[in-house]
Amino acid sequence: MVQDKTAVPVPERPAAGDPADGSAAGPVSGPAGGLVDRPVAGGADGPPGAEDPSGAETPPPASRLALPARVAGAVAGGLLMFLAFPPLGLWFLAPPGMTLAVLAVRGTRPRRGAWLGFLAGAALLLPGLHWVSPIGADAWLGLVAMESVFYAAWGAGVALVTRLPLWPLWSAALWVAAEWARGWFPFGGFPWARVAFSQGESVFTPYAALGGAPLVSFAVALCGGLLALAAVRSFPALRSIAASRPIASSGPPASSGPPASPGPRPARGARRGRALALPLALPLAGALAVPAAALAVPRYGDEGRSVTVGVIQGNVPGRGMHPLGDEPAVVLGNHTRMLHQMARDVREGRTPRPDLVVLPENSTDIDPLSNEFARNEIDAAVKDVGVPVLVGAVVRIGENNRATRSIVWDPVTGPGAYYDKQQLVPFGEFTPLKGLVLALFERASLVGRQSVAGTRDGDLRLGPVTVGAINCYEVAFDGIVGDTARTGATPLVVQTNNATYALTNLPPQQLAMSQLRAVEHNRAVITSAITGISAYVTPSGSIAWRTGELVPAMNVLTVPVRTARTVATRVGALPEWALILVGAGAVAAAWRRRRPRVGHSVNREDDQQVGDA
């Protein structure tokens, strides 16, 4: 029956033994003799997390402490997620950080959920992207503010989908969608500080072999969401247990009626305990099962083949925004000198002979294709070591452009095949909105010639193997690394220049990305960094060798050659797109459910129909 909202309902006389206003909370008999919680009078004004017999949860009461608690939860959640990232690497803090962020947003309107999500994102990114600060505090804070908008969208979506059953699934899928959007917009995207990149070597890492970084992020977010569900269900459980305890009274009884029989209370309490324990145990079991299931992901074994790789880290003379120094050819000399040293060590038996050598990005500060001096210096060093060398250089393209290039330099034929960096750094290698940006920021002119993006994958024949060349910033992008791995290239080689950001949290964060990529594609990953951290990551994601920062270093490593493709390599972005569609579908379903229906008050608060799994 549809009730007229303007009609004043006539209260019914309470039945014998019921409270006068029918509002007392407590267990009542349900179907088949079971127990359900009686809804608290006032609906939204009841205790937080109370449930009615239909399974819909009643949101927490509006109080002066509610908003500060949500703000604190959002900020604490973001900070815990930051602590999961290198250099601290407390990866196990990522799920509880996600728990706090979800709890802060759950039960709010989308508008409030948006700015709470923004706070959580800012708390994660403000310290997480502090490595940008050498460019300028304005660049750092502006980037954090822009990227936090994506977490605001996540918060608004979670405020909606947590009204549906199985909401930990939907909130985790929305987290993947937010990270996907960050990786595409604006100016080509900026996927740094994805939750997956905090799990370089953790219990969640094996999921990378199934669905790449998106599936790892989803697993962490799902685990956090299940912990949030357990927390939500624990509040009514604790309240009910407290309510079932007898309260001692020193005064006379309020009435002269016969005393209540204490006989059935133990059995009734046991039933209540069992009824409350199961809903709490299920999400806790799920939160434990998510990382445990990663143990079942297939592992790939050794294929009995290896290659010997020389790695050189030449260092630079400058710091900050001018890392290459003011004197030309110093960086070039640092790296050619170390090539000659490696050749001497091989001749004198102090180190094994490499099959190939990898130099870092910008290993020459002079274009060797247009400058005869630089070309001769590199050629002499490569002839001395006697094996192909992958040289990182910035080369001129016409009068106004350049390319960040990985060049195969053969000891006999000289420079040959090359790979041009595809994913360029906005405001570092090219200037979006160039006219406006140059007018507002003088230091934007330091970009100089605008880089041109490459158009082919990084598979390059280098001695006995075809390596997969990945250039610095590109290691954060799923598509670039995945496309290179799908060519069959092995091992993967990351040439990088982090000189401007030396001794910040960028180099260890980037190394964690290489760890995840190794597991994702069943490939050894060699990182050659101009100032560190250079490293060798095994196909299982373990760091077998690494250098310090701001020091010259070199080594000759024997690394496995793997050719087997993981599921993640084969399916590419399909798991990510599936999760995005799941999240979008949940938002659509929650939005339809949010619309007022006939028979319900249109004045009901947005956050009063929070579904539970």
Side-chain angles (χ1 to χ4, degrees):
M1 181 180 73
V2 178
Q3 182 178 354
D4 187 352
K5 287 172 53 184
T6 60
V8 179
V10 179
E12 297 181 3
R13 184 178 301 276
D18 285 347
D21 60 358
S23 63
V28 297
S29 295
L35 294 177
V36 296
D37 283 340
R38 185 189 304 247
V40 179
D45 296 326
E51 298 183 2
D52 63 25
S54 67
E57 294 183 2
T58 306
S63 70
R64 294 179 181 177
L65 294 179
L67 183 56
R70 289 186 183 278
V71 170
V75 172
L79 288 175
L80 284 181
M81 284 187 272
F82 156 71
L83 294 176
F85 284 85
L88 294 175
L90 305 176
W91 59 264
F92 50 85
L93 294 181
M98 191 72 66
T99 299
L100 291 177
V102 171
L103 288 175
V105 172
R106 179 187 171 276
T108 65
R109 292 185 176 91
R111 183 181 300 177
R112 175 168 290 183
W115 70 259
L116 287 169
F118 183 93
L119 283 179
L124 163 64
L125 298 177
L126 198 64
L129 300 182
H130 185 259
W131 55 266
V132 180
S133 60
I135 300 175
D138 54 347
W140 169 41
L141 297 176
L143 179 62
V144 168
M146 181 176 66
E147 295 298 312
S148 296
V149 170
F150 294 97
Y151 296 102
W154 170 81
V158 170
L160 287 171
V161 301
T162 48
R163 306 164 187 208
L164 300 174
L166 305 176
W167 56 261
L169 285 171
W170 322 137
S171 63
L174 287 178
W175 187 272
V176 173
E179 290 189 339
W180 168 85
R182 283 188 57 217
W184 281 93
F185 311 103
F187 314 129
F190 187 76
W192 226 269
R194 294 161 73 185
V195 164
F197 295 150
S198 69
Q199 307 295 308
E201 194 171 4
S202 80
V203 295
F204 295 98
T205 307
Y207 282 117
L210 292 181
L215 188 59
V216 176
S217 286
F218 175 77
V220 174
L222 177 59
C223 184
L226 289 167
L227 290 174
L229 177 58
V232 167
R233 288 180 170 181
S234 70
F235 292 127
L238 293 174
R239 188 173 58 254
S240 298
I241 292 171
S244 67
R245 294 176 180 171
I247 301 175
S249 174
S250 59
S255 66
S256 59
S261 173
R265 289 190 63 87
R268 183 178 179 183
R271 290 197 303 271
R272 169 182 286 277
R274 288 193 296 270
L276 294 173
L278 182 60
L280 184 59
L282 288 176
L284 285 176
L288 293 174
V290 172
L295 298 175
V297 176
R299 306 296 177 99
Y300 297 85
D302 186 72
E303 299 175 18
R305 185 181 170 203
S306 64
V307 64
T308 306
V309 181
V311 181
I312 287 179
Q313 174 180 304
N315 207 9
V316 297
R319 300 288 182 270
M321 294 292 289
H322 303 280
L324 302 184
D326 299 324
E327 185 179 347
V330 173
V331 177
L332 168 63
N334 287 351
H335 290 86
T336 55
R337 189 162 47 250
M338 295 193 73
L339 269 174
H340 287 298
Q341 180 63 52
M342 182 176 286
R344 284 194 298 271
D345 290 346
V346 170
R347 285 192 294 269
E348 295 171 8
R350 289 194 296 268
T351 190
R353 177 184 175 86
D355 296 315
L356 58 101
V357 179
V358 180
L359 301 185
E361 180 187 31
N362 296 120
S363 55
T364 170
D365 51 341
I366 303 175
D367 179 3
L369 301 185
S370 61
N371 184 281
E372 187 176 357
F373 168 77
R375 183 188 183 104
N376 290 338
E377 287 290 302
I378 295 173
D379 200 56
V382 173
K383 281 181 167 59
D384 192 15
V385 79
V387 298
V389 177
L390 191 65
V391 177
V394 175
V395 301
R396 295 180 59 175
I397 305 292
E399 290 298 320
N400 301 312
N401 297 314
R402 61 178 180 170
T404 302
R405 182 167 291 180
S406 301
I407 307 169
V408 176
W409 209 292
D410 188 87
V412 177
T413 59
Y418 63 86
Y419 165 71
D420 283 349
K421 187 175 186 177
Q422 299 178 75
Q423 193 72 45
L424 304 177
V425 181
F427 307 104
E429 293 173 312
F430 75 102
T431 309
L433 311 174
K434 186 176 179 182
L436 175 63
V437 171
L438 288 176
L440 293 176
F441 304 101
E442 183 180 351
R443 65 179 178 275
S445 61
L446 294 174
V447 174
R449 295 172 180 268
Q450 301 293 293
S451 289
V452 176
T455 56
R456 64 174 297 273
D457 296 324
D459 51 314
L460 295 172
R461 188 71 185 179
L462 202 64
V465 293
T466 298
V467 302
I470 298 161
N471 225 302
C472 192
Y473 184 61
E474 294 180 324
V475 72
F477 290 81
D478 299 344
I480 298 292
V481 182
D483 289 345
T484 300
R486 277 185 283 277
T487 65
T490 178
L492 300 180
V493 173
V494 180
Q495 295 174 288
T496 184
N497 174 10
N498 295 328
T500 297
Y501 314 106
L503 301 180
T504 69
N505 50 351
L506 181 145
Q509 286 181 7
Q510 191 177 60
L511 180 55
M513 297 178 194
S514 293
Q515 289 181 269
L516 197 76
R517 299 307 186 192
V519 176
E520 181 178 3
H521 299 293
N522 184 38
R523 296 289 188 269
V525 178
I526 302 296
T527 298
S528 179
I530 196 167
T531 57
I533 303 170
S534 298
Y536 158 41
V537 179
T538 69
S540 63
S542 300
I543 299 173
W545 170 79
R546 61 178 288 173
T547 66
E549 294 188 63
L550 297 177
V551 292
M554 66 179 179
N555 202 354
V556 176
L557 308 160
T558 300
V559 303
V561 175
R562 297 278 184 91
T563 58
R565 293 187 176 189
T566 64
V567 175
T569 306
R570 294 176 184 276
V571 301
L574 287 179
E576 183 177 39
W577 278 108
L579 292 170
I580 291 170
L581 291 175
V582 165
V587 169
W591 185 262
R592 288 192 60 186
R593 183 170 176 172
R594 177 176 179 266
R595 295 171 58 188
R597 292 172 292 181
V598 176
H600 291 270
S601 170
V602 295
N603 293 323
R604 186 168 184 171
E605 298 289 343
D606 287 345
D607 57 353
Q608 290 191 10
Q609 289 189 5
V610 182
D612 197 351

